[in-house]
Amino acid sequence: MLYALLCTDRPDSLQLRLDTRPDHVAFLTDLNEKGILKMAGPFLNDEGKPMGSLVIIEADSKEAAAALGAQDPYAKAGLFAGVEVKAFNWVFNKPEA
């Protein structure tokens, strides 16, 4: 099943995001190579600066998705004020496997 991780950055944490980004990208690259990551990218504020993340992964359960999300270097660094995990049904424009 697919799960969306809706991550909201803590206020005034852009520098922490930038400092942690290389490890975050390496983490997502690994998930992508394993076929777990389906899509990901940042939410942007009105100035076009990152202020959160959307990560869609395949996992066996909501709990497994949350546990995987907790391994993200952004999460480990304390970047996120909150993370919502929601089951996701990709209907339109889903790439063919």
Side-chain angles (χ1 to χ4, degrees):
M1 167 154 284
L2 296 180
Y3 291 90
L5 300 130
L6 301 140
C7 311
T8 304
D9 290 4
R10 288 186 298 116
D12 302 315
S13 60
L14 180 58
Q15 192 58 53
L16 176 59
R17 175 178 273 274
L18 296 174
D19 292 345
T20 313
R21 188 172 189 279
D23 292 336
H24 167 74
V25 169
F27 173 76
L28 292 182
T29 298
D30 181 60
L31 293 182
N32 192 52
E33 290 172 353
K34 292 176 180 173
I36 296 168
L37 179 67
K38 301 307 174 188
M39 66 173 286
F43 292 116
L44 304 176
N45 64 18
D46 293 339
E47 291 79 41
K49 305 264 190 229
M51 52 161 293
S53 298
L54 170 62
V55 179
I56 298 179
I57 58 173
E58 188 168 356
D60 291 333
S61 66
K62 184 176 182 177
E63 294 76 20
L68 188 57
Q71 296 303 309
D72 187 322
Y74 279 171
K76 287 183 172 185
L79 176 63
F80 301 135
V83 177
E84 286 185 76
V85 179
K86 297 181 178 242
F88 180 75
N89 183 22
W90 197 340
V91 176
F92 289 97
N93 298 322
K94 182 177 179 181
E96 296 300 320

